[in-house]
Structures are given as C-alpha cells and as structure tokens.
Amino acid sequence: MPSYTAPTKDMQFVLHDVLKINEAATPGYDELERDFTGAILEEAGKLTSDVLAPLNAVGDTEGCRLENGVVYTPKGFKEAFDQVRNGGWTGLDMPEQYGGQNMPYVLGAAVGELFSSSNQAFTMYHGLTHGAASAILAHGTDAQKDMYLPNMVSCEWTGTMNLTEPHCGTDLGLMRTKAAPQSDGSYKITGQKIFISSGEHDMADNIIHLVLGKIEGGPEGIKGVSLFIVPKFAVNEDGSLGARNEVTVGSIEEKMGIHGNSTCVMNYDGATGYLLGEEHKGMRAMFTMMNEARLGVGQQGLAQAEVAYQNAVIYANDRLQGRAVTGAEFPDKPADPLIVHPDIRRSLLDQKSFVEGGRAFILWGAMLIDAAHRGKDKDADGLVSLLTPVIKGFLTDKGYDMTVKAQQVYGGHGYIEEWGMSQFTRDARIAMIYEGANGVQALDLVGRKLAQDGGKHVMAFFDLVKSFVKDKAGQDAEFDASFLEPLKAASKDLQAAGMYFMQNGMKNPNNALSGSNDFMHMFGHVCLGLMWAKMGLAAKEALAGGTTDTAFFETKLATGRYYMARQLPATSLHLTRIQSGADTVMALDAANF
C-alpha cells in the first residue's frame, strides 16, 4: 500500500522564507508566526498521514453504494469524518461568528493540500461544503446565514453544488431545471442534475444543495439562471430538522476514479428551495463557489502529483534493476537501484520541480485571495482572477502528467492495482475535467481575462516579473545565469504571445483561441519560473546566512536549476505553436475528421 508523509517542512519554507507571510500587510497575517503555522501543519500532517491516507485505498476499492435511496460511504469514512469535524478542520478559515476559527485562507490552502494528497475522494465532502458555505456567506440574507452556516462550518451538515444536467455541461444557458414561485416566497424546484459530488451520503445529518435553475417567465439563456438553497431536510425556525424534501438520488455514477466520493444523479421533484442572491443572478452567486473550487481543484492536481512522487522516490531507491552506465554503484548487491539511471532521475526531477514550484504558486495565489478579501485590495483581486484559470488548468494538466510519470517509474508494477499507483493517476484525471474543463479555462484566460479592466492585470503581472528580475540581477552571476535569465526569456515569450493575440485575434478570433491552451501552459511555466526564482533566492540567502540545514537548501537550488534549464524553455515551443495561427487547426472540414 502506498504511504504519505505531509511535506510540512517544505510548506514552512514557502510560507516563511519565500512568501514571508508574517511580514505581509494583510489583516491577520501578523499572527502567522512560524511556530504557530508549524504546529497546525504538524497536527494536520498526523491526521492526514495516519488516518486519511490508509483509507484512500479502501475508498477506491469499496466505493460508495446506494441502497433504498441511501448512499453508504466506504468503511472507516464516517469515523474519520467525525475526527476531522471534531478537530475543527472544516472551519479553519471560516468566520468565528458561525463557529469557524477565522484563520487566513492561505493557511486553509496549505492544510488543504495535505488533505487532498492523503485522500482526495474523502476530502471532497468537506471541501465542497466549504465552497457552498462561502456562497451563502457572500450572497445569503442574514437569516439564511444564521440558519445554515453554523452547521455547515462544523460539517454537521454538508453542502453541494448542482450545475450540470444530462444535456448541458459548460453551456448552462441550456438548463431545464425550473423554479416555480410560491406564495410564501419559496420555490418549487423540478429537474435533474448529474455529476453531483457528495450528493448523498451517510456522514451528515443534512445536506444543503445549491441548485441552479430558471424561474418561470424569466429571461432566456444564461441571463435567466438563478441559484437556490435546497436542503435535503427542511430546517425549522428553531434550527431543528423537519420533513424530507422532494430531492432523491437516482443513481451513483460509475467513475474512473475518486470512487470514495458519492457522485450522484439528483432528482428534484417539486423540492422546496429558497432563492440565494438575486433573481436571474445565479451565475454570479455560483461563481463565488466556482472560483474557490477552481483553486481547490488546481491544488488537487498538485496534491496527487505530490503523493505519487513520494512513492515513486521510495520505489526508485528500493528496486534493483541493472547497473549504472558509469559502473556499479552498489557492487555488493546483485544490481543497482533504479535511481542511478539518468532517465529515472529526469522523471523524478520533473515531478519534484513541478510539485515544489506548484506548491509555491498555489500558496501565492491564496495570499492574493486573502489580500483581496481581508485587505480589500482590488489589484490583488484582479491578479488572482487572471491567475485562477492558470492555477486550475496548468496545475491539473501537469499534475496528471506527473502521476503518470510516477506510475512509469514502477514499470509493470505501476499498472497493477495492488501497488496503488494507478489510483493516483485515476483520481488526478477528474481534476482536468470538473469545475470547468481545462479547455474552457484556457478560453477564459485568453478570451476574457487578458482583456479584463483594459489588460491592467496582465500588465501588472509582467511588471511584477520585470521588477523582480531587475531588483535581484547583478548580485550573483551564477544566480543570474541559472534563474533570472531563463525567467526573463520566458516572460518575453509570454509577452510576445500576448502581442500576437492583440495583432491577430481581432481580425480572426480563431488565431487567439487556437493558441489558448498553449498560452495557458506558457503562463503556468512563467509562474512556476517566478516561484523557483524566489525559492532559489531564499535558499541562497539561507546558505549565506549560515544555516545548518545545508542539504535542504542546496537541494532546493539544484531542483530550481533543473526546472529553469529543463522545463521553463517549453515557453519557446508554446510560442511557436501560437504564432502558427489558426489555419492548420481549422483546415479540415468536420466530415474529414
């Protein structure tokens, strides 16, 4: 069975040495001392490594089962959910008013990686609840917040998001779910939703569904969509639970991965619902949940890559296969371990450099969210809005690739279920699809986010990179050559791609959209390049300052040099593809595919 060890040391390095969270001006960050964050991460690490990780294979093997309208989760899930709930982990960054601990989001994001790495299917139950609670917090009335949030923050009740229908996924304007107004101000919700994660289960007393639907007589298309709170059980004025609502599970989806999560077909047969936010403004309210979810899904891609990498390293050190090409390194053994071979090292360094760079990227993004929400920083809000499709799309595409690389290290054993590596690949695959498929993320980035606020935010990103390179250049020739020059070159590639879109996208939008996936990946590489330059600088400063942990910081520098030399130059390839335009992409008639 695979193992998992929480990478708390690396998280502490990123939070304190690289991002320097304790020095940030964001309200609440002054409390994030190294000892404080360390204690929280260590406790989360124990829970995820000792309790949740051993249940990962159980959930994958057993899955969920539907019997007489009730969904039963895998063995051990319910008891583990009680531990998570009792430890206060579900409300770490939620308001104290509703039972949360009011910690900054960045700390919740760090803890969230540990949960997702150890057991992604399990973590989705309280992760989606957090998103649903955030939507109610942002758009609900005071009465709605008081009624639902205390139990959702504690996860006595869980939450879902209901968007997709059998005939519409991304194009939500096609939805058929109807909402009929009632004289008491409620609505009768009728329709069917599919792919509803955590739609029904046995771990909470109530489930609060957030459901998109169209109010009868409203505008056509997406402009007529509203969002409704539809509880599984009615909630009485005193907070007690009433009658069962007219919402039932039609079936559980049979999926490639995340078997431990109950992905349901949900039927609404005149269920009582309550408007959340304004009429016909449902997408605005839902996107409060979606944007948070997209960062969380980006983290899922990273998290599966992390746990897969950990196990690949163990296997590469243990498995004896062949001899090093330069001569036996372990002559007393019948063969050398896999890790002596250059191609295995290349694969492992691809994984290691991605995971560590991606972790810094996620936590930087979480800091921007805190600055936007806690500090009311509009520039930070604009920048993280720009980066959200990159975080979601790039980290899940590459995260999946890294789980495949980790599986490949095992050779044939990676394909055998008892070794557990295939689960990481299968679980990572969904992250590229849900919460907006990655192709849609790329289209959103190029078609909408680049031009947002007159291009202000992408220009701010370019200025951020340029200023960093300029400020740090000239102090160390080796650092300049290994880190700053590659970052500068990659950033120029990204700017050249943006210029191509400006010059060619207006006259033929396909020129921009055909290059959107390449641009998203190019942007992701530049972001990780920036993170690696920052991490390299922090490591260099620690070594110059006389740290006793020289191995950690020298390893960090070596890993960063690898990324800058072997991964970041991919921006040149992506630029070449973008500048080839749309002609080759659009050349075939549909009948010729």
Side-chain angles (χ1 to χ4, degrees):
M1 180 186 294
S3 62
Y4 173 66
T5 302
T8 53
K9 182 177 182 179
D10 195 61
M11 284 185 171
Q12 286 286 79
F13 166 71
V14 173
L15 290 171
H16 295 283
D17 299 331
V18 181
L19 299 177
K20 302 183 186 300
I21 56 172
N22 191 234
E23 301 173 16
T26 302
Y29 272 41
D30 57 334
E31 300 177 8
L32 300 181
E33 298 284 354
R34 189 182 292 265
D35 288 347
F36 177 71
T37 59
I40 290 176
L41 291 174
E42 286 299 324
E43 285 304 309
K46 291 176 186 176
L47 176 63
T48 54
S49 297
D50 298 343
V51 178
L52 300 189
L55 290 174
N56 199 35
V58 176
D60 187 55
T61 303
E62 290 188 11
C64 297
R65 70 183 196 277
L66 174 63
E67 295 180 2
N68 301 318
V70 178
V71 172
Y72 296 93
T73 51
K75 182 181 178 181
F77 270 43
K78 197 170 184 178
E79 293 77 11
F81 202 68
D82 286 340
Q83 283 188 251
V84 171
R85 190 161 41 204
N86 294 339
W89 297 105
T90 61
L92 194 67
D93 58 350
M94 297 300 283
E96 289 180 291
Q97 179 182 354
Y98 303 109
Q101 300 177 51
N102 203 38
M103 301 289 181
Y105 179 73
V106 69
L107 192 55
V111 169
E113 183 197 319
L114 308 185
F115 275 87
S116 286
S117 279
S118 63
N119 197 322
Q120 179 174 316
F122 176 93
T123 299
M124 290 169 65
Y125 289 100
H126 62 267
L128 284 162
T129 304
H130 187 285
S134 295
I136 294 173
L137 184 65
H139 301 284
T141 64
D142 288 341
Q144 287 173 335
K145 294 174 188 176
D146 291 340
M147 177 172 286
Y148 298 109
L149 289 183
N151 282 310
M152 293 180 74
V153 168
S154 69
C155 271
E156 296 299 324
W157 302 348
T158 59
T160 70
M161 53 194 299
N162 287 237
L163 290 78
T164 306
E165 299 183 6
H167 58 283
C168 74
T170 301
D171 191 353
L172 293 172
L174 297 175
M175 73 173 54
R176 296 172 184 161
T177 297
K178 298 298 182 185
Q182 305 298 299
S183 59
D184 64 356
S186 67
Y187 293 79
K188 292 295 184 184
I189 310 299
T190 302
Q192 185 180 78
K193 299 290 185 177
I194 63 172
F195 306 156
I196 308 307
S197 301
S198 314
E200 173 63 33
H201 58 85
D202 59 351
M203 299 192 298
D205 295 333
N206 202 3
I207 301 175
I208 310 304
H209 301 288
L210 298 191
V211 184
L212 285 178
K214 293 183 176 180
I215 298 173
E216 294 177 350
E220 292 295 319
I222 200 71
K223 293 182 179 179
V225 173
S226 300
L227 184 61
F228 301 90
I229 299 173
V230 186
K232 173 182 173 180
F233 289 100
V235 182
N236 299 319
E237 288 188 11
D238 64 358
S240 63
L241 298 183
R244 174 72 186 256
N245 209 346
E246 293 298 323
V247 50
T248 57
V249 181
S251 63
I252 299 178
E253 305 284 7
E254 295 290 336
K255 310 185 297 292
M256 177 180 176
I258 55 169
H259 296 154
N261 192 267
S262 53
T263 307
C264 300
V265 174
M266 303 299 297
N267 295 319
Y268 295 86
D269 300 307
T272 300
Y274 306 92
L275 185 68
L276 178 60
E278 301 177 48
E279 285 188 2
H280 316 312
K281 303 290 186 183
M283 292 309 298
R284 175 185 170 192
M286 183 59 87
F287 267 101
T288 298
M289 192 173 178
M290 288 288 285
N291 285 334
E292 176 184 308
R294 283 172 177 169
L295 261 74
V297 171
Q299 189 169 61
Q300 287 178 358
L302 170 73
Q304 293 306 299
E306 165 67 31
V307 66
Y309 164 71
Q310 287 188 17
N311 286 276
V313 170
I314 293 170
Y315 188 82
N317 277 285
D318 289 345
R319 176 73 166 175
L320 302 180
Q321 289 285 283
R323 289 295 187 188
V325 68
T326 53
E329 293 195 13
F330 294 85
D332 58 324
K333 295 182 179 181
D336 289 333
L338 282 171
I339 203 162
V340 306
H341 303 300
D343 194 59
I344 293 293
R345 286 171 167 261
R346 172 199 58 79
S347 175
L348 292 174
L349 275 166
D350 282 350
Q351 297 166 54
K352 180 177 176 64
S353 63
F354 165 76
V355 166
E356 294 178 11
R359 175 175 297 124
F361 186 23
I362 282 278
L363 294 176
W364 177 46
M367 284 185 70
L368 291 173
I369 289 177
D370 277 332
H373 294 174
R374 287 173 166 254
K376 310 301 180 186
D377 186 334
K378 292 183 177 179
D379 290 337
D381 190 42
L383 183 55
V384 78
S385 178
L386 170 72
L387 295 177
T388 294
V390 183
I391 291 172
K392 197 280 184 184
F394 178 72
L395 291 185
T396 59
D397 274 353
K398 300 299 287 186
Y400 175 78
D401 288 348
M402 297 306 151
T403 66
V404 173
K405 287 178 182 290
Q407 187 182 27
Q408 187 77 8
V409 169
Y410 280 66
H413 292 299
Y415 200 66
I416 303 300
E417 289 295 340
E418 70 177 274
W419 287 84
M421 294 303 288
S422 73
Q423 183 186 352
F424 303 134
T425 301
R426 289 184 285 104
D427 285 357
R429 186 64 184 88
I430 186 57
M432 302 161 70
I433 299 172
Y434 60 14
E435 310 304 346
N438 286 357
V440 176
Q441 301 302 317
L443 295 178
D444 177 50
L445 174 64
V446 171
R448 195 163 68 92
K449 295 296 177 63
L450 287 185
Q452 195 170 8
D453 296 328
K456 172 183 177 181
H457 307 299
V458 72
M459 294 308 299
F461 176 81
F462 289 140
D463 287 344
L464 187 155
V465 175
K466 183 178 180 180
S467 296
F468 176 82
V469 171
K470 183 178 179 181
D471 291 346
K472 307 306 177 186
Q475 302 174 33
D476 182 322
E478 193 278 332
F479 184 79
D480 288 0
S482 298
F483 287 89
L484 298 185
E485 290 303 321
L487 175 59
K488 184 177 179 180
S491 181
K492 286 184 176 180
D493 285 343
L494 187 64
Q495 292 177 65
M499 185 62 67
Y500 174 84
F501 291 153
M502 289 179 61
Q503 294 172 345
N504 297 275
M506 292 297 289
K507 59 184 178 182
N508 182 4
N510 284 335
N511 281 325
L513 301 185
S514 295
S516 60
N517 185 270
D518 281 288
F519 188 79
M520 180 179 73
H521 277 252
M522 181 188 290
F523 210 142
H525 277 299
V526 174
C527 288
L528 262 64
L530 176 61
M531 293 300 103
W532 268 116
K534 287 177 176 286
M535 288 190 288
L537 181 65
K540 188 168 73 72
E541 290 174 346
L543 289 167
T547 179
T548 57
D549 195 0
T550 55
F552 176 84
F553 293 107
E554 287 175 352
T555 299
K556 189 66 66 174
L557 280 168
T559 307
R561 291 188 193 102
Y562 178 90
Y563 190 87
M564 304 308 266
R566 299 284 300 231
Q567 294 296 315
L568 193 54
T571 58
S572 178
L573 170 63
H574 290 302
L575 177 61
T576 300
R577 288 173 174 169
I578 288 169
Q579 291 176 336
S580 73
D583 289 348
T584 56
V585 175
M586 306 303 293
L588 293 183
D589 291 333
N592 294 331
F593 276 90

